[in-house]
Short mmCIF file of all heavy atoms in Angstrom, two decimals:
data_model
loop_
_atom_site.label_atom_id
_atom_site.label_comp_id
_atom_site.label_asym_id
_atom_site.label_seq_id
_atom_site.Cartn_x
_atom_site.Cartn_y
_atom_site.Cartn_z
N ALA A 1 51.89 -1.89 -13.78
CA ALA A 1 51.76 -0.43 -13.83
C ALA A 1 50.77 0.00 -14.90
O ALA A 1 50.00 0.95 -14.69
CB ALA A 1 53.13 0.20 -14.09
N ASP A 2 50.75 -0.67 -16.05
CA ASP A 2 49.82 -0.26 -17.10
C ASP A 2 48.38 -0.52 -16.70
O ASP A 2 47.47 0.25 -17.05
CB ASP A 2 50.16 -0.94 -18.43
CG ASP A 2 50.11 -2.46 -18.34
OD1 ASP A 2 50.60 -3.01 -17.35
OD2 ASP A 2 49.60 -3.09 -19.28
N ALA A 3 48.15 -1.59 -15.94
CA ALA A 3 46.79 -1.87 -15.45
C ALA A 3 46.36 -0.82 -14.43
O ALA A 3 45.19 -0.42 -14.39
CB ALA A 3 46.73 -3.27 -14.83
N VAL A 4 47.30 -0.36 -13.61
CA VAL A 4 47.00 0.69 -12.64
C VAL A 4 46.60 1.98 -13.35
O VAL A 4 45.62 2.64 -12.99
CB VAL A 4 48.20 0.92 -11.70
CG1 VAL A 4 47.96 2.13 -10.81
CG2 VAL A 4 48.45 -0.31 -10.83
N VAL A 5 47.35 2.34 -14.39
CA VAL A 5 47.03 3.54 -15.16
C VAL A 5 45.64 3.41 -15.78
O VAL A 5 44.81 4.33 -15.71
CB VAL A 5 48.08 3.79 -16.26
CG1 VAL A 5 47.62 4.89 -17.21
CG2 VAL A 5 49.42 4.18 -15.63
N ALA A 6 45.36 2.25 -16.35
CA ALA A 6 44.07 2.03 -17.00
C ALA A 6 42.91 2.08 -16.01
O ALA A 6 41.78 2.40 -16.39
CB ALA A 6 44.07 0.70 -17.73
N SER A 7 43.19 1.82 -14.74
CA SER A 7 42.13 1.83 -13.72
C SER A 7 41.75 3.24 -13.29
O SER A 7 40.74 3.43 -12.62
CB SER A 7 42.57 1.02 -12.49
OG SER A 7 43.53 1.73 -11.73
N GLY A 8 42.59 4.24 -13.64
CA GLY A 8 42.26 5.62 -13.31
C GLY A 8 43.21 6.29 -12.34
O GLY A 8 42.83 7.23 -11.64
N ILE A 9 44.45 5.83 -12.28
CA ILE A 9 45.46 6.43 -11.41
C ILE A 9 46.58 7.01 -12.26
O ILE A 9 47.16 6.31 -13.10
CB ILE A 9 46.04 5.40 -10.42
CG1 ILE A 9 44.95 4.87 -9.49
CG2 ILE A 9 47.17 6.01 -9.60
CD1 ILE A 9 45.41 3.79 -8.53
N GLY A 10 46.88 8.29 -12.07
CA GLY A 10 47.99 8.94 -12.76
C GLY A 10 49.12 9.23 -11.79
O GLY A 10 48.88 9.49 -10.61
N HIS A 11 50.35 9.19 -12.28
CA HIS A 11 51.52 9.36 -11.41
C HIS A 11 52.48 10.37 -12.05
O HIS A 11 52.90 10.18 -13.20
CB HIS A 11 52.21 8.00 -11.23
CG HIS A 11 53.35 8.02 -10.26
ND1 HIS A 11 54.06 6.89 -9.92
CD2 HIS A 11 53.92 9.02 -9.53
CE1 HIS A 11 55.00 7.19 -9.05
NE2 HIS A 11 54.94 8.48 -8.80
N VAL A 12 52.78 11.44 -11.33
CA VAL A 12 53.79 12.42 -11.76
C VAL A 12 55.01 12.20 -10.87
O VAL A 12 55.02 12.57 -9.70
CB VAL A 12 53.28 13.87 -11.62
CG1 VAL A 12 54.33 14.85 -12.11
CG2 VAL A 12 51.97 14.05 -12.38
N PRO A 13 56.07 11.58 -11.40
CA PRO A 13 57.20 11.20 -10.55
C PRO A 13 58.06 12.38 -10.14
O PRO A 13 58.02 13.45 -10.77
CB PRO A 13 57.99 10.23 -11.44
CG PRO A 13 57.67 10.67 -12.83
CD PRO A 13 56.24 11.16 -12.79
N GLU A 14 58.85 12.18 -9.11
CA GLU A 14 59.82 13.19 -8.71
C GLU A 14 60.83 13.39 -9.84
O GLU A 14 61.27 12.43 -10.49
CB GLU A 14 60.56 12.73 -7.45
CG GLU A 14 61.59 13.72 -6.94
CD GLU A 14 62.33 13.23 -5.70
OE1 GLU A 14 62.04 12.11 -5.24
OE2 GLU A 14 63.20 13.97 -5.22
N GLY A 15 61.17 14.64 -10.10
CA GLY A 15 62.11 14.92 -11.17
C GLY A 15 61.49 14.97 -12.54
O GLY A 15 62.17 15.07 -13.56
N ARG A 16 60.14 14.84 -12.60
CA ARG A 16 59.33 15.00 -13.82
C ARG A 16 59.46 13.83 -14.78
O ARG A 16 58.50 13.32 -15.28
CB ARG A 16 59.66 16.31 -14.53
CG ARG A 16 59.40 17.51 -13.64
CD ARG A 16 60.35 18.66 -13.92
NE ARG A 16 60.37 19.61 -12.81
CZ ARG A 16 61.30 20.51 -12.64
NH1 ARG A 16 62.28 20.62 -13.50
NH2 ARG A 16 61.25 21.32 -11.60
N GLU A 17 60.71 13.43 -15.14
CA GLU A 17 60.95 12.29 -16.02
C GLU A 17 60.20 12.40 -17.34
O GLU A 17 59.63 11.42 -17.83
CB GLU A 17 60.62 10.97 -15.29
CG GLU A 17 61.53 10.72 -14.11
CD GLU A 17 61.38 9.33 -13.52
OE1 GLU A 17 60.75 8.47 -14.17
OE2 GLU A 17 61.89 9.10 -12.41
N ILE A 18 60.21 13.59 -17.90
CA ILE A 18 59.67 13.76 -19.24
C ILE A 18 60.70 13.25 -20.25
O ILE A 18 61.86 13.04 -19.92
CB ILE A 18 59.32 15.23 -19.52
CG1 ILE A 18 60.57 16.11 -19.35
CG2 ILE A 18 58.19 15.71 -18.64
CD1 ILE A 18 60.39 17.54 -19.78
N PHE A 19 60.26 13.07 -21.50
CA PHE A 19 61.16 12.65 -22.57
C PHE A 19 61.73 13.92 -23.20
O PHE A 19 61.07 14.59 -23.99
CB PHE A 19 60.41 11.81 -23.59
CG PHE A 19 59.89 10.52 -23.02
CD1 PHE A 19 58.58 10.41 -22.62
CD2 PHE A 19 60.73 9.42 -22.87
CE1 PHE A 19 58.08 9.24 -22.08
CE2 PHE A 19 60.25 8.23 -22.34
CZ PHE A 19 58.93 8.14 -21.94
N THR A 20 62.96 14.25 -22.84
CA THR A 20 63.52 15.55 -23.19
C THR A 20 63.75 15.72 -24.68
O THR A 20 63.73 16.85 -25.19
CB THR A 20 64.84 15.80 -22.44
OG1 THR A 20 65.75 14.72 -22.71
CG2 THR A 20 64.60 15.89 -20.93
N ASP A 21 63.97 14.63 -25.42
CA ASP A 21 64.21 14.73 -26.86
C ASP A 21 62.91 14.73 -27.65
O ASP A 21 62.92 14.95 -28.87
CB ASP A 21 65.10 13.58 -27.33
CG ASP A 21 66.54 13.75 -26.87
OD1 ASP A 21 66.95 14.90 -26.65
OD2 ASP A 21 67.24 12.73 -26.73
N PHE A 22 61.78 14.46 -26.98
CA PHE A 22 60.48 14.51 -27.63
C PHE A 22 59.93 15.93 -27.55
O PHE A 22 60.28 16.69 -26.65
CB PHE A 22 59.49 13.56 -26.95
CG PHE A 22 59.72 12.10 -27.22
CD1 PHE A 22 60.88 11.64 -27.82
CD2 PHE A 22 58.76 11.17 -26.85
CE1 PHE A 22 61.08 10.29 -28.05
CE2 PHE A 22 58.95 9.83 -27.07
CZ PHE A 22 60.11 9.38 -27.68
N THR A 23 59.04 16.26 -28.45
CA THR A 23 58.35 17.54 -28.35
C THR A 23 57.30 17.47 -27.23
O THR A 23 56.99 16.40 -26.70
CB THR A 23 57.64 17.89 -29.66
OG1 THR A 23 56.58 16.94 -29.89
CG2 THR A 23 58.61 17.89 -30.83
N VAL A 24 56.77 18.63 -26.90
CA VAL A 24 55.67 18.69 -25.93
C VAL A 24 54.53 17.79 -26.37
O VAL A 24 53.99 16.99 -25.60
CB VAL A 24 55.19 20.14 -25.75
CG1 VAL A 24 53.87 20.19 -25.00
CG2 VAL A 24 56.26 20.97 -25.03
N LEU A 25 54.14 17.92 -27.63
CA LEU A 25 53.04 17.12 -28.16
C LEU A 25 53.34 15.63 -28.09
O LEU A 25 52.48 14.84 -27.69
CB LEU A 25 52.76 17.53 -29.61
CG LEU A 25 51.64 16.76 -30.32
CD1 LEU A 25 50.32 16.91 -29.59
CD2 LEU A 25 51.52 17.23 -31.77
N GLU A 26 54.55 15.24 -28.44
CA GLU A 26 54.91 13.82 -28.40
C GLU A 26 54.87 13.28 -26.97
O GLU A 26 54.44 12.13 -26.74
CB GLU A 26 56.28 13.62 -29.01
CG GLU A 26 56.30 13.78 -30.52
CD GLU A 26 57.69 13.88 -31.10
OE1 GLU A 26 58.65 14.21 -30.34
OE2 GLU A 26 57.85 13.65 -32.31
N ASN A 27 55.30 14.07 -25.99
CA ASN A 27 55.21 13.65 -24.59
C ASN A 27 53.76 13.40 -24.19
O ASN A 27 53.45 12.41 -23.51
CB ASN A 27 55.83 14.71 -23.68
CG ASN A 27 57.31 14.49 -23.42
OD1 ASN A 27 57.69 13.77 -22.51
ND2 ASN A 27 58.14 15.11 -24.24
N LEU A 28 52.87 14.29 -24.61
CA LEU A 28 51.46 14.13 -24.26
C LEU A 28 50.87 12.91 -24.95
O LEU A 28 50.07 12.18 -24.34
CB LEU A 28 50.69 15.39 -24.64
CG LEU A 28 51.06 16.65 -23.85
CD1 LEU A 28 50.28 17.85 -24.38
CD2 LEU A 28 50.80 16.46 -22.35
N LEU A 29 51.25 12.66 -26.17
CA LEU A 29 50.74 11.48 -26.88
C LEU A 29 51.22 10.20 -26.22
O LEU A 29 50.48 9.20 -26.15
CB LEU A 29 51.18 11.53 -28.35
CG LEU A 29 50.53 12.62 -29.20
CD1 LEU A 29 51.14 12.63 -30.59
CD2 LEU A 29 49.02 12.44 -29.26
N VAL A 30 52.45 10.19 -25.70
CA VAL A 30 52.94 9.03 -24.94
C VAL A 30 52.07 8.83 -23.69
O VAL A 30 51.69 7.71 -23.36
CB VAL A 30 54.42 9.20 -24.56
CG1 VAL A 30 54.84 8.15 -23.54
CG2 VAL A 30 55.31 9.11 -25.79
N GLY A 31 51.75 9.94 -23.02
CA GLY A 31 50.91 9.83 -21.82
C GLY A 31 49.54 9.27 -22.12
O GLY A 31 48.93 8.61 -21.28
N GLY A 32 49.04 9.52 -23.34
CA GLY A 32 47.72 9.05 -23.71
C GLY A 32 47.73 7.82 -24.59
O GLY A 32 46.73 7.56 -25.28
N HIS A 33 48.82 7.06 -24.58
CA HIS A 33 48.94 5.95 -25.54
C HIS A 33 47.93 4.84 -25.31
O HIS A 33 47.67 4.04 -26.21
CB HIS A 33 50.37 5.38 -25.52
CG HIS A 33 50.64 4.47 -24.36
ND1 HIS A 33 50.93 4.93 -23.11
CD2 HIS A 33 50.67 3.11 -24.28
CE1 HIS A 33 51.12 3.90 -22.30
NE2 HIS A 33 50.97 2.81 -22.97
N THR A 34 47.35 4.76 -24.12
CA THR A 34 46.35 3.72 -23.85
C THR A 34 44.94 4.15 -24.26
O THR A 34 44.01 3.34 -24.19
CB THR A 34 46.33 3.35 -22.35
OG1 THR A 34 45.98 4.51 -21.58
CG2 THR A 34 47.70 2.86 -21.89
N LEU A 35 44.77 5.40 -24.66
CA LEU A 35 43.44 5.90 -25.00
C LEU A 35 43.00 5.38 -26.36
O LEU A 35 43.82 5.19 -27.27
CB LEU A 35 43.46 7.44 -25.05
CG LEU A 35 43.69 8.21 -23.77
CD1 LEU A 35 43.84 9.70 -24.08
CD2 LEU A 35 42.54 8.00 -22.79
N PRO A 36 41.70 5.20 -26.56
CA PRO A 36 41.20 5.01 -27.92
C PRO A 36 41.56 6.22 -28.76
O PRO A 36 41.52 7.36 -28.27
CB PRO A 36 39.68 4.89 -27.73
CG PRO A 36 39.50 4.52 -26.30
CD PRO A 36 40.64 5.15 -25.55
N ARG A 37 41.91 6.01 -30.01
CA ARG A 37 42.40 7.11 -30.86
C ARG A 37 41.39 8.25 -30.94
O ARG A 37 41.77 9.42 -30.98
CB ARG A 37 42.71 6.58 -32.25
CG ARG A 37 43.32 7.61 -33.18
CD ARG A 37 43.87 7.00 -34.42
NE ARG A 37 44.99 6.10 -34.12
CZ ARG A 37 45.69 5.47 -35.06
NH1 ARG A 37 45.40 5.63 -36.34
NH2 ARG A 37 46.68 4.66 -34.72
N ARG A 38 40.11 7.92 -30.91
CA ARG A 38 39.08 8.96 -31.04
C ARG A 38 39.05 9.90 -29.84
O ARG A 38 38.53 11.02 -29.94
CB ARG A 38 37.70 8.31 -31.20
CG ARG A 38 37.23 7.52 -29.99
CD ARG A 38 35.87 6.89 -30.19
NE ARG A 38 35.44 6.16 -29.00
CZ ARG A 38 35.76 4.91 -28.74
NH1 ARG A 38 36.52 4.23 -29.59
NH2 ARG A 38 35.34 4.32 -27.63
N ASP A 39 39.61 9.46 -28.68
CA ASP A 39 39.58 10.28 -27.48
C ASP A 39 40.78 11.21 -27.36
O ASP A 39 40.79 12.11 -26.51
CB ASP A 39 39.52 9.38 -26.22
CG ASP A 39 38.23 8.60 -26.12
OD1 ASP A 39 37.26 8.98 -26.81
OD2 ASP A 39 38.19 7.63 -25.34
N VAL A 40 41.82 10.99 -28.16
CA VAL A 40 43.06 11.74 -28.01
C VAL A 40 42.88 13.24 -28.26
O VAL A 40 43.36 14.06 -27.46
CB VAL A 40 44.16 11.15 -28.92
CG1 VAL A 40 45.40 12.05 -28.95
CG2 VAL A 40 44.54 9.75 -28.43
N PRO A 41 42.21 13.67 -29.32
CA PRO A 41 42.08 15.11 -29.55
C PRO A 41 41.43 15.85 -28.39
O PRO A 41 41.88 16.96 -28.03
CB PRO A 41 41.22 15.19 -30.83
CG PRO A 41 41.49 13.91 -31.53
CD PRO A 41 41.63 12.89 -30.46
N ALA A 42 40.40 15.27 -27.78
CA ALA A 42 39.73 15.92 -26.66
C ALA A 42 40.65 16.02 -25.45
O ALA A 42 40.64 17.04 -24.73
CB ALA A 42 38.45 15.17 -26.29
N ARG A 43 41.44 14.99 -25.20
CA ARG A 43 42.35 15.03 -24.06
C ARG A 43 43.48 16.05 -24.31
O ARG A 43 43.91 16.73 -23.37
CB ARG A 43 42.94 13.64 -23.79
CG ARG A 43 41.93 12.59 -23.38
CD ARG A 43 40.98 13.09 -22.29
NE ARG A 43 41.72 13.50 -21.09
CZ ARG A 43 41.29 14.41 -20.23
NH1 ARG A 43 40.14 15.04 -20.43
NH2 ARG A 43 41.99 14.71 -19.15
N LEU A 44 43.95 16.15 -25.54
CA LEU A 44 44.96 17.17 -25.85
C LEU A 44 44.38 18.56 -25.66
O LEU A 44 45.04 19.45 -25.10
CB LEU A 44 45.45 17.00 -27.29
CG LEU A 44 46.39 15.83 -27.57
CD1 LEU A 44 46.65 15.72 -29.07
CD2 LEU A 44 47.70 15.97 -26.81
#
């Protein structure tokens, strides 16, 4: 699955499956955990 994400495929599952105890920002950072650190601010 991580190789699929890195290839350019994103998946929004049924029921959202967000991390409810994380903040909005923390959820987004999890989504971008494979990015080079320098790219994170632009994606946010």
Side-chain angles (χ1 to χ4, degrees):
D2 59 317
V4 172
V5 170
S7 75
I9 298 177
H11 185 177
V12 182
E14 181 181 0
R16 301 148 198 164
E17 295 190 12
I18 58 172
F19 296 98
T20 55
D21 288 334
F22 287 11
T23 66
V24 167
L25 178 59
E26 287 167 340
N27 269 273
L28 294 177
L29 291 175
V30 168
H33 78 280
T34 62
L35 293 173
R37 184 168 296 183
R38 65 181 181 274
D39 294 343
V40 171
R43 296 312 302 153
L44 286 173

